[in-house]
Structure formats: structure tokens, C-alpha cells
């Protein structure tokens, strides 16, 4: 069952009924000012940091689920209106009246919600203009009645007192601190501006006000909820001024509309900073200096400025997405590659794992591992920003080569509470840097001098950081010669040194064992891959000795995997603290895990001796399901002290045998590597959100973006997705489809063409911008093969290899590829 449809031409998902199984959200903003907005206008806004600079309040895990947001109320002021038609919300929530023709269009960086009730159509377009720290609610009210309509429009948001954590806990203080100013019909929220803050929020409206409210209880009325505000019911604002308690911003506009008349009303909610020395006007007063913000407010209360800002936003996304566009026989592939998967990758770049409807915005910082992987999906879109991200990440690396597991985006410092010793972490930096160089050809990044742990004076070239990553693993090999796992590897929940039996202890930071026994076959596979990438970088730099050392180290670990990491029909997962196998047919539960099958094969292990094929056959037999490939089987039915968090989840959820979507593309890539185009693309479709749109009542999360997890077959809610948006799933699926299935893979030498597609496809076309040239590539598959390139012509001339030369001439080149 569907709750809407894709409008690919407009790059929008159109939701056609408000009661989606879960709130289906979108993101506003892509630079510093951000908002989350659901299909019923729920959500909140913040400046840079969802915890420390929160503009508006939001209560997660509330009832109803999505309560609080960018609300509008319309009141019918005509005589004799029955109570059930007196007022409504054009976004459905919070009043939940039966709207006619409701639609919510989630687009790239904007959302439009429109509906009709009793002959009045109200549309609201929400977006953040590029380069500004504000959001616009561009509304239009149309009277479709045969007679004149007398209408009141109310806006309402609830201000957060900046630090969202403090705001949600420290009531003894913050019930007394809230302050506002109301000047020229603009509501200014200035809590703590009197002391150390030099920023404030403002909420403005383009029309003269009939009234306003800034104190929540005055607007709602005592003991009332957002669905029945007293001020709206009465048709009269209280003109309340907040002193402590809960400051809000609400405007009231009265409109008289002739039959057929449409009126625009613009609301602007923004964040503004003043220089510390110019906070007040007059200087010795306590009044906000508004001279710096007034021109901005005035600008965006004008329709033509709003329209052109919106057009700029559309153009900017069009430009970004134009870097990789495909036309294939499969619409789900086209739609995700051309629009939604790329968009989601940008959202993970901007927000990492901080703010979604599953991440509260007050929790974790940027993950070291997560951010390196996210980069794989956006490096071609914003290479300069990717470069900076790499340098920031590397600056949190420790001198040992190890890494803090997380760092804080505001301070760019490693997070001491979480610490390090996730032994896979450093290796991701190699994969990310290598991906950056392959995309851009910018070798200078390796010479950038970067400190360790942000300590001035400790700088070395980035290249040396990578060398230390390699060494970090080699200095931490266990009894079988496999890498020690530390606190965890990619699977944060496989905690082999934790042994926690105290409720509430963190599985990620508790370590009760010395950590010198438990080993990870996943890290071994990843090391082989990373060491070979490092060897390739070293070779191009002319460091032949270093290149050979890396290759030798890769050979050594590969040999160890063959000897101690193979279980007969698949790759083992690990050895535990007792030296016993994890992920082996000898185990009672958790016999086979997806991660080592993916990463060992990605590293090339088993491609030459049939083990890769054997392992993938085992994956298909034991882990593949109609809802995606499960992380491991059989699920752990009880808690195992020596395995940790993985066995804390009920069977079928999260790492305990859920479909952890992040890992599925590794298997797609592995299938492509062995030339199995049907299987690779089939796995791709099973978790592709657009392909799952038809079962939205089962999937429940948004059909336009990936979720981290789909409940596995051991779960009661088999097939139900959770944790949408902020997940490494976005980047890895993008890599699998664009680089391995469609097969346009940036390499150090140029753009390789190596598709592995379903043999039913007669071909496909891609436009790809790469290192300063545009390639219009047409791939033909006359013999209906999965893989193999017979000939490549560039601008009519046949070239000898399937790697497109770097032309860098800002021109468009026509590339004809024949498979066979
Ligand atoms: C979450 C984490 C990621 C980890 C994965 C598996 O997605 O953000 O770092 O690799 O879970 O545990
Ligand atoms: C929990 C989650 C896992 C995540 C980890 C780190 O363990 O299950 O997916 O990676 O927290 O935040």
C-alpha cells in the first residue's frame, strides 16, 4: 500500500494522505541553519548544532508521536460557523480535521504542504535560502467559495532556550529565564542575551498583525494542547509577553478574501548574531540591537526575493545532482541514483548521526568511522568540503594511529567520554582519503600537515597519518595473527572484551578484559583492502619500498584469513576472549555473519580459489530474505556475556539478525566482483526504498530514503524499517549501484568503466562529471552479458583500455561502450 507517489520530474515525493505510518520527514537547510520537517509540519530548527543552538523546541517520543512544529491555524470568522468547522490546521496536525486534497511535497531542501478545508485552500512552502540563517514559510490562502471569506491565520512555534538538553531538564532555572521583545510586529526571542549570548531568534510576518502571543499558556489556554489553542478558538490573540515559562512566537493575521481571491503571507523564522560589542541599542540598554537584522527581515518578507531565493535553491540542487545522472531500464535505480540517494548522502554529510526522528540531536557527535564512510557517497558532490572533512577527521587521530570513536563538530575535538580502541576505525581513514584522491586527483591532500589529537606542534603530512593507520593494525595482532578487535569493529555491538553484567553500563565503553585474545576477521579483510589501497597511493607517490611493505602486509594477513578465518563454507566472524570461534557452523547461534563475507571479498580474498563464490552462496542460502540480507543467523535467543550488545537486542532487531542495510551493498559489490549482475541488482532492489514503496504499510519508514535497519525474519515486525535518514547505508548503496553495478568507478588513473548489470538490460546511459570534464556515456549490451567491456570509444575514437583518460578540459565527451 502506498501513501503517495514519486514525482521524478519535480524531484519530489508527494504524500497524499497525512496519516503516514510514521512521520515522513525532510530536511531544510544545507549550510549552517537546519530544520527537520515532517509531512504534517512537525519538527524543529537549529543553527549548526542541534543540541547547543536549538531554535525551536521538540519533544521526541511524545504522544501523539509528532506533536510540535511549524504550525499554522486557520479560523473561519464568518457568521454561524459550526464549532467543528471553526478552525483547522492546513498541515493536518495538530487539529487533525478531515482535510480535502491534502498533499505534502518533500523536495530537495524544501517542503510544500497544501490542503483545502471548507472551500479555503492553504499552501505553505518551507525552505532555507542559500547563504542565510533563516527559514521561510511562504503561504498562500485562496478562497474557492462563492462568497467573501473572513479568515484569521495564526502561526505558532515554541522557542527552545538554546541548549536542548538543558531546556528539557533544567526547569528550576529556565522557567525563570525566558525573555522576548516584540517590536514592529516582529517577535524576538532573546533568552540569555542579557548575559553571555550574542545571538537571538526572530519570527516575522509580512502582514500587519491583528495580535500576537509569546507566552505559551496564554496562547493555548490552561491545560489545553496544540490541537485546541484558546486564542484560535476565540479568534483573538492575547498579546502576551513572555516572562520566564515557555516563550513562543505566534502571529495573528486577519484577511478578507473575495471569491477566487488568493493572498500571500510570508513568515520568516531566523537566527542572528551581533558583534559582542554591539549587542544593545542604545548601548547602555538591555534592548537588542536590531539594526543588523532588520534588512534581512525586510528582504525576505518580499515575495519576489523569496521566489528568487527558492529558484536559487532549486538550481543549486540541479547542479549538484547533474554530476551523476543515469538512464537505465529500472526506474528504482534511476530515481534513487539521480535524486534521493544522492540527496540522502548530502544529508548524512551535513548532519552525520545527530538529528533525525531517531537521533534526538542531543546525543552523539560525529563518528570517525561513520564520517569516513559517509564521504564515499558525497565526495563527488562537494569535493572541497570533503577535503576539509578528511583533515578534520585526521586531526582527531591519536599518535598511536588509533582514533577517537567520535568527535564534536563544534569544537572538532575527540570525545573523551567515548574514547577509542574501536580497532577498525583508523582503516576507514585510508579508504576515505583514497576515495577522495581517486575522485579529484588532488594528491596535494597527502602533503597537508595535520596534527594528532589537535595538539599544536604534532603535525605531520596526512600521508603519515595513513601510514600510522596501517601500523596500528599490524601492532595489534592476536593469537592467530588476526587483528585484535578492541572494543568493537564495524559492528559496534559485537563487544568481545566487554563482559558487562551491570544494567545501564555502556557496551561501547566498558571493557572488562585485557583485549589481547579476541580477534576480528572483518578487520582482517578490511586491512587487506586498506593496505592495498595504501600500496597504490604509495606507488603513485614513487615510494616503492613503502608500497611493497604494504603489499607484503596485505599478503600476510590474507594468508592468515585463509588459514584461520575460513569456516569451510563462509568466512568466520571472529575469535572471542576464550579463543573460540564466532560466526562458525560450530556455534549454536550466530553461525554466519554478513560482514566478513562482504569485506573479505571486497579485499579480493577468495576470488581466485572459489571461496568467494562459496561464501556468497552461503549468504544467499542462509541470510538472504525478501526484505534484504540479514546480519547473522541464527539470531541470538538470549544474552551472552562474552558477546555483548549484539545479544541484548531481541531476535530480528538491529545487529541481532536484523537486515542492517549498511552491510547489504558489500554483498552487492561482492556479487558484482564475481560477475553476477542479476544477483547484485536483485539484492539492490530488495532494500531500495523506492522498490519498497508498494509495501509502505509494512516498511513504514519513508519510501524515498534508506533506513538503517529493516526487522529480520526472527522479529515479530518482520520487514518494518527503523532509523531512517542518518545511516551509512546511504553512502554504501550509492557506491554499490554507481561504481560497481553501473560500474563507473573513479580510480587513481581515471574513470574506469566496468558495469555488472542484469543480463536483461540492453544497456544504459550515464552523464558523469569527473575531474573537470563531462562524459556522456552510452553502454550497450547487445550480447546480454552481465559483465565485460569489449570496446570503448571516446569522441568516436577507440581507446585501448576501459579506463577513461582524464581530459579535464571542461568539455563534454561522448563515450560509447559495448559490453561483451
Ligand atoms: C551504527 C553506527 C555505525 C556502526 C553500525 C553497526 O550504524 O553508527 O558506526 O558501524 O551501527 O553497529
Ligand atoms: C548502539 C546501536 C548501534 C550503534 C551504537 C553506537 O549500539 O545498536 O547501531 O552503532 O549504539 O551509537
Amino acid at each position: 500500500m502506498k501513501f503517495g507517489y514519486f514525482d521524478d520530474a519535480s524531484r519530489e515525493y508527494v504524500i497524499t494522505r497525512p496519516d503516514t505510518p510514521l512521520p515522513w520527514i525532510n530536511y531544510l537547510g544545507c549550510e549552517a541553519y537546519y530544520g527537520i520537517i515532517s509531512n504534517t509540519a512537525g519538527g524543529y530548527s537549529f543553527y549548526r548544532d542541534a543540541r547547543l543552538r536549538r531554535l525551536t523546541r521538540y519533544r521526541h517520543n511524545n504522544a501523539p508521536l509528532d506533536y510540535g512544529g511549524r504550525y499554522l491555524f486557520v479560523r473561519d470568522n464568518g457568521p454561524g460557523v459550526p464549532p467543528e468547522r471553526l478552525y483547522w490546521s492546513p498541515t493536518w496536525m495538530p487539529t487533525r480535521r478531515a482535510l480535502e486534497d491534502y498533499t505534502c511535497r518533500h523536495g530537495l531542501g524544501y517542503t510544500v504542504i497544501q490542503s483545502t478545508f471548507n472551500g479555503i485552500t492553504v499552501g505553505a512552502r518551507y525552505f532555507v535560502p542559500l547563504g542565510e540563517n533563516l527559514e521561510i514559510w511562504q503561504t498562500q490562502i485562496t478562497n474557492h467559495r462563492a462568497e467573501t471569506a473572513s479568515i484569521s491565520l495564526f502561526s505558532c512555534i515554541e522557542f527552545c532556550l538554546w541548549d536542548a538538553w538543558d531546556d528539557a531538564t533544567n526547569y528550576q532555572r529556565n522557567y525563570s529565564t525566558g525573555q522576548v521583545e516584540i517590536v514592529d510586529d516582529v517577535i524576538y526571542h532573546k533568552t540569555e542575551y542579557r548575559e553571555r549570548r550574542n545571538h537571538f531568534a526572530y519570527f516575522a510576518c509580512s502582514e500587519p498583525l491583528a495580535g500576537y502571543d509569546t507566552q505559551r499558556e496564554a496562547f493555548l489556554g490552561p491545560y489545553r494542547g496544540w490541537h485546541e489553542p484558546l486564542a484560535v478558538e476565540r479568534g483573538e490573540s492575547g498579546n502576551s509577553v513572555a516572562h520566564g515559562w515557555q516563550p513562543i512566537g505566534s502571529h495573528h493575521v486577519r484577511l478578507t478574501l473575495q471569491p477566487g481571491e488568493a493572498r500571500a503571507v510570508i513568515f520568516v523564522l531566523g537566527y542572528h548574531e551581533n558583534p559582542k560589542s554591539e549587542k544593545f541599542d542604545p548601548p547602555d540598554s538591555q534592548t537588542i540591537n536590531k539594526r543588523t537584522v532588520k534588512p534581512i527581515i525586510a528582504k525576505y518578507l518580499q515575495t519576489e526575493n523569496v521566489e528568487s531565493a527558492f529558484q536559487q535553491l532549486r538550481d543549486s540542487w540541479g547542479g549538484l545532482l547533474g554530476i551523476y545522472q543515469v538512464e537505465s531500464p529500472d526506474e528504482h535505480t534511476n530515481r534513487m541514483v539521480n535524486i534521493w540517494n544522492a540527496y540522502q548522502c548530502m544529508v548524512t554529510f551535513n548532519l552525520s548521526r545527530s538529528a533525525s526522528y531517531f537521533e534526538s540531536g542531543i546525543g552523539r557527535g560525529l563518528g570517525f568511522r561513520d564520517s569516513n564512510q559517509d564521504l564515499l557517497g558525497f565526495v563527488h558532490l562537494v569535493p572541497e568540503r570533503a577535503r576539509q572533512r578528511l583533515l578534520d577527521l585526521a586531526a582527531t587521530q591519536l599518535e598511536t594511529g588509533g582514533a577517537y570513536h567520535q568527535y564534536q563538530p563544534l569544537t572538532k575535538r575527540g570525545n573523551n567520554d567515548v574514547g577509542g580502541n574501536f580497532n577498525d576505525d583508523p582503516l576507514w581513514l585510508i579508504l576515505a582519503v583514497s576515495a577522495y584522491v581517486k575522485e579529484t586527483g588532488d594528491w596535494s591532500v597527502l602533503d597537508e600537515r595535520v596534527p594528532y589529537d589537535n595538539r599544536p606542534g604534532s603535525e605531520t603530512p596526512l600521508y603519515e597519518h595513513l601510514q600510522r593507520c596501517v601500523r596500528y593494525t599490524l601492532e595489534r595482532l592476536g593469537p592467530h595473527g588476526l587483528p585484535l578487535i578492541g572494543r568493537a569493529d564495524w559492528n559496534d555491538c559485537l563487544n568481545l572484551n566487554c563482559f558487562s553484567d551491570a544494567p545501564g553500563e555502556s557496551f561501547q565503553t566498558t571493557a572488562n578484559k585485557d583485549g589481547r585474545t579476541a580477534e576480528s576477521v572483518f578487520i582482517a579483510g578490511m586491512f587487506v583492502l586498506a593496505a592495498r589501497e595504501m600500496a597504490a597511493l604509495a606507488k603513485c607517490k614513487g615510494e616503492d619500498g613503502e608500497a611493497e611493505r604494504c603489499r607484503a602486509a596485505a599478503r600476510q594477513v590474507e594468508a592468515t584469513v585463509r588459514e584461520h578465518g575460513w569456516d569451510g563454507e563462509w568466512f568466520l566472524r571472529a575469535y572471542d576472549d576464550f579463543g573460540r570461534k564466532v560466526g562458525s557452523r560450530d556455534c549454536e547461534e550466530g553461525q554466519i555473519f554478513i560482514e566478513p563475507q562482504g569485506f573479505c571479498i571486497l579485499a579480493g580474498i577468495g576470488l581466485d580459489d572459489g571461496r568467494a563464490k562459496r561464501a556468497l552462496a552461503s549468504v544467499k542460502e542462509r541470510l538472504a530474505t525478501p526484505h534484504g540480507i540479514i546480519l547473522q543467523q541464527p539470531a541470538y535467543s538470549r544474552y551472552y556475556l562474552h558477546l555483548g550488545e549484539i545479544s541484548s537486542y531481541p531476535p530480528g532487531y538491529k545487529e541481532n539478525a536484523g537486515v542492517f542495510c549498511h552491510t547489504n551493498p558489500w554483498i552487492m559489490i561482492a556479487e558484482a566482483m564475481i560477475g553476477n549482475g542479476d544477483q547484485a541488482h536483485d539484492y539492490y532492489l530488495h532494500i531500495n526504498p523506492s522498490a519498497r514503496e508498494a509495501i509502505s504499510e509494512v516498511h513504514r519508514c519513508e519510501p524515498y530514503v534508506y533506513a538503517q535497519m529493516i526487522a529480520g525474519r526472527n522479529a515479530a515486525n518482520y520487514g518494518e524499517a527503523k532509523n531512517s535518514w542518518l545511516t551509512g547505508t546511504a553512502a554504501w548503496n550509492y557506491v554499490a549501484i554507481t561504481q560497481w553495478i553501473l560500474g563507473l568507478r573513479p580510480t587513481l588513473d581515471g574513470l574506469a568503466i566496468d558495469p555488472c548489470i542484469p543480463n536483461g538490460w540492453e544497456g544504459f546511459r550515464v552523464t558523469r562529471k569527473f575531474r573537470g570534464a563531462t562524459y556522456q556515456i552510452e553502454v550497450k549490451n547487445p550480447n546480454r552479458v552481465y559483465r565485460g567491456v569489449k570496446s570503448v570509444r571516446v569522441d568516436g575514437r577507440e581507446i585501448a583500455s576501459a579506463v577513461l583518460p582524464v581530459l579535464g578540459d571542461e568539455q563534454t565527451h561522448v563515450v560509447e561502450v559495448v559490453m561483451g
Side-chain angles (χ1 to χ4, degrees), residues 34 106 114 123 153 155 168 245 290 364 391 417-419 440 457 506 523 542 647 704 726:
Y34 293 100
H106 282 319
Q114 178 170 309
L153 180 66
S155 66
W245 298 112
K290 305 178 186 71
R364 45 180 155 163
L391 299 177
D417 299 340
V418 185
T440 59
S506 158
I523 301 182
S647 59
Y704 39 92
L726 303 182

Side-chain angles (χ1 to χ4, degrees), residues 538-780:
K539 185 167 165 267
C540 290
K541 269 180 73 75
E543 313 227 358
D544 290 343
E546 171 78 10
E548 182 41 38
R549 274 194 297 282
C550 288
R551 279 196 295 268
R555 279 197 300 273
Q556 171 205 327
V557 176
E558 172 166 2
T560 312
V561 171
R562 286 176 197 275
E563 196 180 340
H564 297 292
W566 178 252
D567 195 54
E569 293 184 80
W570 55 81
F571 293 98
L572 266 182
R573 178 65 177 84
Y575 286 94
D576 68 17
D577 181 59
F578 307 101
R580 295 177 314 207
K581 293 173 178 173
V582 178
S584 156
R585 62 185 152 187
D586 301 344
C587 303
E588 208 177 303
E589 300 184 317
Q591 294 177 335
I592 172 170
F593 280 68
I594 193 171
E595 306 99 305
Q597 321 314 325
F599 252 80
C600 290
I601 299 173
L602 253 68
I605 308 175
L607 287 176
D608 54 352
D609 62 5
R611 287 188 193 184
K613 279 201 170 133
R614 185 60 251 163
L616 289 171
S618 300
V619 167
K620 182 162 186 185
E621 200 180 301
R622 291 166 183 257
L623 298 178
T625 78
H627 293 293
I629 313 169
I630 289 176
L631 194 141
Q632 113 275 14
Q633 282 285 288
Y636 294 116
S637 60
R638 58 195 174 84
Y639 178 58
Y640 294 93
L641 193 62
H642 68 289
L643 298 177
E645 183 168 6
I646 189 167
S647 59
S648 76
Y649 287 112
Y653 294 103
K654 298 276 283 181
E655 284 88 339
N656 187 15
V659 174
F660 215 89
C661 298
H662 185 142
T663 59
N664 281 221
W666 301 340
I667 300 299
M668 297 166 204
I669 296 171
E671 289 286 358
M673 290 175 82
I674 65 164
N676 201 346
D678 273 340
Q679 188 60 74
H681 195 258
D682 189 51
Y683 283 145
Y684 174 72
L685 286 182
H686 278 114
I687 62 165
N688 180 303
S690 159
R692 293 175 64 79
E693 185 199 16
I695 52 162
S696 286
E697 80 286 6
V698 177
H699 185 80
R700 303 189 78 231
C701 278
E702 296 90 335
Y704 39 92
V705 289
Y706 286 97
Q708 178 202 62
M709 191 227 18
I710 298 171
R713 67 174 157 227
N714 308 97
N717 304 336
Y718 183 28
E720 179 189 46
K722 283 197 191 113
N723 301 5
S724 54
W725 282 98
L726 303 182
T727 160
T729 307
W732 273 107
N733 275 282
Y734 192 81
V735 169
I737 187 69
T738 59
Q739 297 190 20
W740 293 90
I741 297 176
L742 300 172
L744 297 185
R745 204 155 53 243
T747 69
L748 295 176
D749 308 321
L751 188 63
I753 304 191
D754 178 23
C756 183
I757 55 176
N759 59 5
W761 285 17
E762 59 186 25
F764 61 93
R765 292 164 200 265
V766 171
T767 303
R768 175 69 154 99
K769 297 205 165 100
F770 180 73
R771 297 201 208 170
T774 302
Y775 298 89
Q776 265 169 10
I777 304 165
E778 168 151 30
V779 177
K780 292 194 176 132

